[in-house]
């Protein structure tokens, strides 16, 4: 809402204030002033002038030499202008030598091709006017003034360029401040001063008044308008339209609105059109009541029927668009066809045009939610709909209509025909009925933590113009809570809330009024007087933090990525913990790249990797901890809220950090590329951190991953027994898949311009669900272990897990415990027999109660070797 | 003819002179050891001299014996000292030879960074946990009723314009704020009090991403419900919070505002942490930064949460984590938080 200072000053005396001071007070009271705009800042020395004659420039085809005067018959001035449309006899703003224009331009006497110009004639832009609101005609050339403009007057004043505009950033509850009068009431309350005049004074003798609420006598008005020219008004839906009034005005002359009205519309950000339309907008801005003028002669039936639209009915609105209506839309009809979308926009067919001679001026109260639904569906958020959907003051429906009728009669040559017609439903009475809200001083102080006196409280209601009465509560004897009764027996304040403040309905609303008008700075700072509570975080929140710290310590950067991803990206990756196949998506995405709710963290992580790779970050390790979204059922994916498990995932690309001079120390000097084992190492570190054991089960079926370099991470059971290839556990329970680890399928990696990145994704929710409750103490061994190393050739297709399984099962037949099996070398190269690889394991045997004999260890090792020979055909190396 | 005492003493002296010279000249511990064997060994020079002892007259024996033993002790000391000196020199030489360039980089264990948003979230969580708040979380995909209706935002309410939403169905949407967690927690807790929670999480609005808007961002919401909770308690709590997050000198200011779920409502400003309140580019020369929305829980919201608004009251507040992080780290584009440029993230290794 843009509020003209001059306009506001008509309603309240602001003579002693600066706009800045008022803006500060308004903002501090909750009506935030976002900006103070000085309309014609810096413009000076511009006069209203008349062009006496127009001659060609002797030395320039495109220039004209004109003579202007600023007083009838007074001295004349020669001005050179480039404007092609300059007209003798017309009035223009004239910047005399010494004048200042927009942008700090200073006008001096200046020669143009040999002719001295004494100043210049101005365009709207040069005067700093709101050119975007002007017609193309008014915008392009010189800004032509009306022929009744006062010759010689200061154009700054004449065009209202000395006005100041307060731009309000209103919260949705303050619909009352969508009008000059409403802002005046607010300023009056804040500054504790009266309005210059009551709003009803503007319309002579309105039937409804602001101060003494009561239903306006519309019936009476309608009786007045019982003449032949009266339209018959029927309202078929009282819920959506409890009050509908109209006025016929005939004899309309097509002309622009006077300059002062156009100035105010421009200051308010409204486009001037013609006198009739401008008056409706002007009164809307002043009263907050939207009005609409129909060309009455285009309503052939001479009837107005307000009803819900029929399904499939259409209406072409003022903007030339055909709208397909539904029964949810309220329409104004001529009894046959819709002629306006109630409260939102008029129809094109009945638009006021230069040919219009008779109008039906509408002023109504439409139900907010219905107007809002229609406006939202058609994406038509007009000045009118904004006001209706937040609620207009029912008491101003009639006064605004009368005010507008008077102005149209005065400014567009119209004649008010008969009285107001219309219909007021019985429901309207409820709108006019004043709301009474009760409050006590102690309730206010208890909620705010203040110590306000009764006088301070009552003073706020007085300033707001809310009538109130004070009553002492009946001190009825209540044996059970006598003390409470005593406290309640203080004076109750019964506040009558004027209809203009539709936002105030309950005691809390009054508490806020008191708080904001005494000032929030009056509220002290205290500590809550509540019983002690123990703060803390649930296990998953704690785990998220400690996993993140752990991964960061391992050298991975944490990232945050968007939940919404493209459908294609979402489909690409494994969904190991989804019970369903479907994905969820939003109905109206901003773009296709942000449509689906992710079911894997991979799309986001790979986007991060790709971004960094593109920006020459050659290698990277990133992780994210975040939710993924799985529908609970494929039959009705949207039937219930989805599962939202918390995942942790990482991506690795490029090379491991190199060890500088590594070879000097007998290590590798070349850093290897990140691969499956880099990712797996981090997974293993995480699992160890949470006391979990998992099997890495080869998986060729995981989408997006390299079919022979990927594994499912399957929770290992309590028994040391390894699962079979598909991960099924011995006891028949379905395996718990914690996630996966693998290299990306090269074809997918290519889409992200990455060279075979490695990655993992785990369900943190599952990890935490299966973690042991606490660490288990294990005492240091009391007797030494015996280590035996074995090294052998083995078929290259046999996995480490296969070997471990055989070793462990062989160990079960031993009489001494095998406590540790560590793989310490794998070799496959020139020296290995064809199809074979070499593996070397360190076996540690340890007895809990005695020192083992060397012979016992040897025998046990032999048994294991024999078993490996039999089951896996190994050949022991020398 | 047996050697005379004089002759033996003279020989002893010449042995001393020679031995002292040779030990001094020894260059290696091995050479020192060889000299020890030669002079002090069982068949060494001193032992040879000692063998003459029996040939001396009885009265000369003690004096000669003492002289040999004195020489033995002297040589032992000298050998010991020489050996120690040589060993020290050898060690020194070895240490010199093992010199490395200590300025070469260490083995790369470069720690990763926690994301700045995570750091801010956790710092805020810690402050409130210290004040007795419990962390509570809720779903990102919510029912309209929890996101709006139970928060006193009925369908077709103009306040819905404040938050353009991503709907999945007519009734299901990506939550536009963390406030639905309030509703869920109240329903789980009511009528017990006090309820003191902090709810961090992602929220979503149908905004076009630009320097100041993000279709997804992070909010932290706080809620306190109990008997006799006052707006002054809200002010005191937020003052404590602001001081701990932005520094002890920080002041706060409440301005009247509107949220459908609180009444009265307030926007909360803190003194600009960049200029301390004197005015600068960061605070647009006002000295204040708007960081929080807050207010007293609306009675309808308490009711929808299962509480009796005549018996209990409460306050709630919400803040945008990105906004705080932008202020704290001087980030001028909200999208930076979701780009995850490694060169930027690296600067957050130090937290």
């Amino acid at each position: 809402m843009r509020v003209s200072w001059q306009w506001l000053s008509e309603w309240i005396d602001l003579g002693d204030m600066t706009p800045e001071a008022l803006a500060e007070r308004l903002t501090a009271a909750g009506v935030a002033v976002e900006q103070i705009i000085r309309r014609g800042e810096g413009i000076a020395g511009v006069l209203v002038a008349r062009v006496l004659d127009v001659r060609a420039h002797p030395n320039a085809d495109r220039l004209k030499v004109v003579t202007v005067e600023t007083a009838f018959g007074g001295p004349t001035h020669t001005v050179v202008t480039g404007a092609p449309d300059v007209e003798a006899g017309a009035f223009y703003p004239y910047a005399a030598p010494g004048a200042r224009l927009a942008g700090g331009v200073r006008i001096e006497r200046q020669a143009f091709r040999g002719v001295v110009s004494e100043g210049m004639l101005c365009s709207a832009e040069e005067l700093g006017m709101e050119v975007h609101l002007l017609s193309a005609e008014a915008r392009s050339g010189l800004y032509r003034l009306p022929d009744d403009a006062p010759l010689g007057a200061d154009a700054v004043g004449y065009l209202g360029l000395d006005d100041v505009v307060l731009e309000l950033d209103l919260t949705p509850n303050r619909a009352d401040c969508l009008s000059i009068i409403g802002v005046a009431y607010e300023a009056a309350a804040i500054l504790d001063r009266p309005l210059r005049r009551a709003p009803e004074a503007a319309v002579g003798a309105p039937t409804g008044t602001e101060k003494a609420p009561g239903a306006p006598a519309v019936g009476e008005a309608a009786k007045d308008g019982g003449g032949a020219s009266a339209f018959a008004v029927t309202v078929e839906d009282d819920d959506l339209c409890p009050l509908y009034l109209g006025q016929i005005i005939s004899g309309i002359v097509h002309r622009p609105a006077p300059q002062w009205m156009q100035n105010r519309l421009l200051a308010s950000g409204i486009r001037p059109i013609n006198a009739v339309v401008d008056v409706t907008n002007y009164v809307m801005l002043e009263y907050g009541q939207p009005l609409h003028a129909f060309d009455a002669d285009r309503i052939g039936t001479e009837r107005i029927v307000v009803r819900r639209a029929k399904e499939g009915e259409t209406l072409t609105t003022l903007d030339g668009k055909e709208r397909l209506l539904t029964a949810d839309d309220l329409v104004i009809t001529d009894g046959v066809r819709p002629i306006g979308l109630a409260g939102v926009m008029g129809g094109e067919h009945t638009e006021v045009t230069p040919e219009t001679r008779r109008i039906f001026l509408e002023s109504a109260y439409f139900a907010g939610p219905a107007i809002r639904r229609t406006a939202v569906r058609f994406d038509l958020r007009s000045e009118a709909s904004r006001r209706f959907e937040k609620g207009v003051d029912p008491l101003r429906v009639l006064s605004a209509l009368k005010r507008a009728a008077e102005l149209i009669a005065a400014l567009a040559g119209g004649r008010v025909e008969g009285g107001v017609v219309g219909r007021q439903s019985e429901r309207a009475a409820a709108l006019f009925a004043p709301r009474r809200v009760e409050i006590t001083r102690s309730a206010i102080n208890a909620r705010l933590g203040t110590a306000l006196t009764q006088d301070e409280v009552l003073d706020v209601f007085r300033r707001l113009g809310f009538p109130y009465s004070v009553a002492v509560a009946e001190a009825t004897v209540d044996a059970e809570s006598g003390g409470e009764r005593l406290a309640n027996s203080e004076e109750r304040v019964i506040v009558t809330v004027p209809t203009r403040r539709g936002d105030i309905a309950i005691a809390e609303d009054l508490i806020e009024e008191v708080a904001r008008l005494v000032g929030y700075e009056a509220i002290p700072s205290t500590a809550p007087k509540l019983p002690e509570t123990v703060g803390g975080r649930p296990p998953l929140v704690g785990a998220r933090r400690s996993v993140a710290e752990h991964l960061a310590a391992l050298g991975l950067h944490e990232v945050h990525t968007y939940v919404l991803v493209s459908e294609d990206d979402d489909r690409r990756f494994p969904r190991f913990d989804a019970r369903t196949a479907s994905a969820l998506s939003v109905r109206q995405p901003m773009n296709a790249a942000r449509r689906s709710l992710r079911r894997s963290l991979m799309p986001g992580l790979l986007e991060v990797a790709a971004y960094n790779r593109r920006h020459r970050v050659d290698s990277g390790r990133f992780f994210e901890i975040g939710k993924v979204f799985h529908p609970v059922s494929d039959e009705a994916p949207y039937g219930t809220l989805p599962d939202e498990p918390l995942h942790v995932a990482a991506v690795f690309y490029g090379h491991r950090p190199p060890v500088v001079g590594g070879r000097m120390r007998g290590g590798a000097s070349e850093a290897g590329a990140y691969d499956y084992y880099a990712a797996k190492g981090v997974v293993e570190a995480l699992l160890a951190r949470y006391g979990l054991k998992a099997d890495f089960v080869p998986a060729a079926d995981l989408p997006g991953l390299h079919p022979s370099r990927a594994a499912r991470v399957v929770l290992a059971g309590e028994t040391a027994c390894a699962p079979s290839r598909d991960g099924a556990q011995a006891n028949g329970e379905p395996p718990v898949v914690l996630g996966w680890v693998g290299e990306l399928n090269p074809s997918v990696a290519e889409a992200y311009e990455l060279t075979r990145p490695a990655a993992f994704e785990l369900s943190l929710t599952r990890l935490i669900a299966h973690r042991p409750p606490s660490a288990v103490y294990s005492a240091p061994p009391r007797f030494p272990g015996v280590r035996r190393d074995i090294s052998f050739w083995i078929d290259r297709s046999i996995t480490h897990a296969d070997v471990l399984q055989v070793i462990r099962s062989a160990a079960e037949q031993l009489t001494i415990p095998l406590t540790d099996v560590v793989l310490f070398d794998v070799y496959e190269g020139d020296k290995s027999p064809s199809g074979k690889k070499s593996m070397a394991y360190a076996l540690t045997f340890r007895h809990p109660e005695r020192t083992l004999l060397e012979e016992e260890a040897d025998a046990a090792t032999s048994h294991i070797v024999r078993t490996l020979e039999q089951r896996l055909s190994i050949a022991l190396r020398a | 003819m047996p050697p005379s005492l004089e002759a033996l003493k003279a020989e002893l002296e010449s042995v001393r002179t020679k031995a002292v010279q040779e030990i001094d000249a020894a260059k290696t511990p091995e050479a020192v050891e060889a000299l020890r064997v030669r002079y002090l060994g069982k068949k060494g020079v001193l032992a040879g001299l000692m063998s003459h002892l029996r040939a001396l007259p009885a009265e000369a024996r003690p004096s000669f014996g003492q002289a040999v033993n004195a020489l033995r002790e002297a040589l032992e000391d000298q050998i010991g000292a020489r050996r120690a000196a040589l060993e020290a020199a050898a060690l020194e030489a070895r240490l010199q030879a093992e010199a490395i360039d200590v300025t070469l980089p260490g083995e790369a264990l470069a720690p990763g960074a926690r994301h700045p948003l995570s750091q801010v979230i956790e710092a805020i969580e810690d402050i409130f946990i210290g004040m007795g708040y419990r962390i509570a979380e809720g779903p990102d995909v919510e029912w309209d009723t929890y996101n709006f209706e139970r928060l006193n935002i009925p369908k077709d309410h103009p306040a819905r314009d404040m938050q353009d939403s991503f709907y999945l169905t007519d009734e299901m949407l990506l939550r536009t704020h963390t406030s639905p967690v309030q509703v869920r927690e109240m329903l789980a807790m009511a009528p017990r009090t006090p309820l003191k929670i902090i709810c961090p999480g992602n929220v979503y609005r149908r905004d076009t991403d630009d320097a100041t808007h993000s279709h997804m961002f992070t909010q932290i919401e706080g809620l306190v419900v109990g008997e006799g909770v006052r707006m002054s308690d809200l002010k005191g709590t937020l003052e404590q919070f602001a001081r701990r997050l932005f520094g002890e000198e920080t002041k706060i200011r409440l301005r009247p505002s509107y949220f459908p779920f609180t009444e009265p409502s307030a926007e909360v400003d803190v003194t600009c942490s960049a200029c301390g309140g004197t005015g600068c580019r960061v605070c647009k020369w006002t000295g204040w930064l708007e960081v929080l929305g807050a207010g007293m829980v609306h009675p309808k919201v308490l009711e929808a949460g299962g509480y009796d608004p005549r018996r209990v009251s409460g306050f709630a507040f919400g803040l945008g984590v990105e906004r705080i992080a932008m202020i704290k780290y001087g980030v001028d584009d909200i999208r930076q938080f979701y780009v995850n440029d490694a060169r930027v993230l690296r600067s957050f290794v130090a937290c």
Side-chain angles (χ1 to χ4, degrees), chain B residues 53-279:
Chain B
L53 192 68
R54 229 178 279 169
L56 285 176
E59 68 278 10
R61 284 178 197 169
S63 136
F64 181 67
Q66 280 166 11
V68 174
N69 279 333
L71 178 57
R72 174 180 293 275
E73 274 173 30
L75 292 184
E76 275 173 353
D77 286 353
Q78 192 193 351
I79 284 169
R82 184 63 191 156
R83 180 184 285 137
L86 284 173
E87 278 171 359
L91 179 63
E92 179 62 21
R94 204 176 82 222
L95 293 180
Q96 288 295 332
E98 286 173 356
I100 56 166
D101 178 355
V102 298
T103 67
L104 285 183
E107 282 182 40
L109 292 172
R114 296 299 313 284
H115 194 278
L117 294 179
S118 300
Q119 295 194 24
V120 170
I121 293 170
E122 289 170 11
I124 294 172
E125 285 179 356
D126 286 349
I127 291 171
F128 283 104
I129 287 175
M131 292 160 85
Y133 288 66
R134 174 170 61 79
I135 308 293
E137 294 193 310
D140 287 25
V141 179
E142 259 297 4
W143 296 116
D144 185 277
T145 175
Y146 287 102
N147 194 76
F148 289 125
E149 289 183 42
R150 284 171 185 264
L151 290 164
N152 194 30
I153 315 173
K155 285 208 160 60
D156 304 314
H157 192 283
R160 290 209 177 194
D161 283 350
M162 293 164 92
Q163 304 173 358
D164 206 355
S165 319
F166 284 113
Y167 276 94
L168 282 75
T169 69
D170 282 348
E171 298 302 329
M172 192 189 278
L173 75 163
L174 285 169
R175 65 178 175 195
T176 58
H177 46 193
T178 41
S179 310
V181 186
Q182 286 187 15
V183 180
R184 290 177 174 277
E185 289 293 321
M186 283 194 286
L187 287 171
M189 181 85 169
R192 287 166 294 157
T193 60
L195 175 62
K196 283 171 79 175
I197 52 167
I198 284 289
C199 321
N202 291 339
V203 300
Y204 308 81
R205 306 227 178 131
R206 266 192 100 257
D207 275 328
T208 304
D209 293 340
D210 61 26
T212 55
H213 295 85
S214 179
H215 74 275
M216 178 179 112
F217 60 101
T218 321
Q219 233 181 25
I220 296 185
E221 184 113 349
L223 172 72
V224 171
V225 176
E227 281 177 34
V229 176
R230 302 156 294 176
M231 195 157 175
S232 56
D233 298 336
L234 168 66
K235 200 169 177 180
T237 299
L238 294 179
E239 220 163 65
Q240 286 282 340
F241 162 70
R243 282 213 288 263
R244 289 184 199 181
L245 190 68
F246 295 108
E248 277 307 311
E249 302 306 307
T250 310
K251 291 182 176 53
I252 68 164
R253 175 176 82 174
L254 270 57
R255 281 182 290 114
S257 187
Y258 169 74
F259 305 105
F261 32 90
T262 51
E263 186 79 36
S265 303
E267 297 277 2
V268 183
D269 302 334
V270 299
T271 41
C272 178
S273 51
C275 63
T278 53

Side-chain angles (χ1 to χ4, degrees), chain A residues 28 372-373 381 447 512 520 523 525-526 533 535-537 544-545 552 558 560 587-588 611-612 627 644, chain B residues 112-113 115 118 126 132-133 135 137 140-141 156 161 167 170 206 231-233 235 263 265 340-342:
Chain A
R372 184 182 149 82
R373 272 195 299 276
R381 312 304 287 273
R447 185 59 50 87
E512 180 170 72
Y520 276 14
I523 299 169
S525 292
T526 57
T533 48
R537 51 177 67 82
R544 181 167 62 203
R545 187 161 177 176
E558 185 185 18
H560 281 225
R587 277 203 305 214
Q588 291 175 289
Y611 167 91
N612 281 287
K627 288 176 174 179
E644 299 186 4
Chain B
H115 194 278
S118 300
D126 286 349
Y133 288 66
I135 308 293
E137 294 193 310
D140 287 25
V141 179
D156 304 314
D161 283 350
Y167 276 94
D170 282 348
R206 266 192 100 257
M231 195 157 175
S232 56
D233 298 336
K235 200 169 177 180
E263 186 79 36
S265 303
N340 301 291
D341 189 311

Side-chain angles (χ1 to χ4, degrees), chain A residues 608-614 616-622 651-656 674 754-758, chain B residues 342:
Chain A
V608 169
Y611 167 91
N612 281 287
R613 182 70 197 77
R614 274 202 308 280
R616 312 262 167 108
V617 177
D618 291 333
S619 44
R621 295 175 280 182
F622 301 100
V651 63
F652 305 72
Y653 75 90
H655 288 258
R656 293 182 166 86
Y674 283 122
L754 294 166
T755 316
R756 201 184 278 180

Side-chain angles (χ1 to χ4, degrees), chain A residues 407-419:
Chain A
L407 282 170
I408 291 172
L411 304 176
R415 245 185 353 267
V416 177
E417 293 280 348

